[in-house]
Amino acid sequence: MMFKHAVLVGLFLLAVGVGSAQAFLSIFSGGYQYISAEELNKRIEVGDAMVLLDICPADEFAAGHIPGSIETNAYPTQTDEERSRLNKGLAALQAGNEDIIIVCPGGGGGARRTVDYYKAQGVDEKRMYILQDGLKKWPYKKVPKS
């Protein structure tokens, strides 16, 4: 019965608008917000203010990353040592108001753990988005580490 009501609410929100639909879908994604490669690419092209935080391992970052990404090499963000790599620029993230896009290899557990870590550090979870399907499915321009 509860699921039936959730579906009805979801259909209503879908009818009302995309933003509401995204909010509804985030309920079913564990509360995490995702951004598609297409939407992120559009935001990059128009110069939207945001922070691209790449947690991919060093070799993957070096092989190619989204231009303007901050390298942390924190993936898979399971140990204290890996999480400590997320502290790079933490004060700026806490003080800022731009969206933070978490880029990881596959858009899964490492990215969710990154969101959880930053949330525990006081970063507003409404600002954080995970690149859906991660860097492995990024079909746009990547640049090698210089």
Side-chain angles (χ1 to χ4, degrees):
M1 187 69 160
M2 179 74 139
F3 180 74
K4 185 176 182 180
H5 283 106
V7 169
L8 290 174
V9 169
L11 290 173
F12 171 75
L13 291 174
L14 284 170
V16 171
V18 173
S20 298
Q22 287 175 337
F24 172 74
L25 292 174
S26 75
I27 293 169
F28 289 104
S29 62
Y32 299 97
Q33 301 182 98
Y34 291 85
I35 186 168
S36 70
E38 180 181 5
E39 181 62 27
L40 177 54
N41 192 57
K42 285 179 188 174
R43 290 187 64 182
I44 291 169
E45 286 178 346
V46 298
D48 277 359
M50 69 185 117
V51 177
L52 292 169
L53 192 88
D54 192 311
I55 66 167
C56 293
D59 60 333
E60 291 182 29
F61 187 88
H65 55 274
I66 299 171
S69 295
I70 298 169
E71 179 180 13
T72 67
N73 310 127
Y75 184 82
T77 63
Q78 293 178 323
T79 67
D80 288 340
E81 179 187 342
E82 290 163 347
R83 282 187 293 275
S84 73
R85 296 175 196 158
L86 295 173
N87 291 331
K88 181 178 186 178
L90 179 60
L93 294 178
Q94 292 167 324
N97 60 4
E98 308 89 0
D99 287 344
I100 302 164
I101 314 300
I102 310 297
V103 179
C104 83
R112 290 189 299 272
R113 286 186 291 274
T114 299
V115 169
D116 293 343
Y117 179 79
Y118 282 139
K119 185 175 159 186
Q121 304 307 311
V123 178
D124 184 356
E125 66 186 306
K126 293 176 187 153
R127 295 176 45 214
M128 293 184 276
Y129 294 83
I130 297 171
L131 175 60
Q132 189 174 12
D133 298 323
L135 193 61
K136 289 180 181 174
K137 300 278 180 139
W138 180 256
Y140 305 101
K141 180 182 177 186
K142 287 192 243 180
V143 294
K145 187 172 181 177
S146 51

